[in-house]
Amino acid sequence: MSARPLYVQLADVIAKKIESGELAPDRPIPSENHLADEYGVARLTARRAAQELRERGLIVTVRGKGSFVVQQPPANASEGNGTAD
């Protein structure tokens, strides 16, 4: 058991799949129902995980179509997030 909320743990698992390339850019992630079944969580937990991933900028959801992995910047781009003013 972890002190982190279950939806955050699920979002972390999916984020790692995105980072590893298992879930490729511009491809859909599994549906909330599928995630709930696969990981043995409530659908609301899967929905909150998707919301967390959207907030992290890892996925975008298109109503009626599903949620898709966004194009990722190079891995080192997030290290120096300075402004170019």
Side-chain angles (χ1 to χ4, degrees):
M1 292 297 288
S2 172
R4 294 173 56 117
L6 192 54
Y7 75 92
V8 174
Q9 294 177 49
L10 179 56
D12 289 345
V13 168
I14 298 167
K16 284 182 180 151
K17 287 185 174 189
I18 292 170
E19 290 170 15
S20 74
E22 187 176 337
L23 294 172
D26 294 327
R27 302 295 301 160
I29 66 167
S31 69
E32 291 171 2
N33 286 333
H34 183 83
L35 290 172
D37 289 343
E38 182 177 350
Y39 293 98
V41 298
R43 184 167 180 236
L44 180 58
T45 301
R47 180 176 290 172
R48 293 279 310 271
Q51 179 181 347
E52 176 74 14
L53 292 166
R54 278 191 298 278
E55 290 172 1
R56 294 182 192 183
L58 296 176
I59 66 170
V60 62
T61 301
V62 179
R63 189 174 190 98
K65 298 284 184 184
S67 296
F68 299 84
V69 178
V70 298
Q71 287 285 359
Q72 293 296 304
N76 59 3
S78 62
E79 293 174 5
N81 261 350
T83 58
D85 289 325

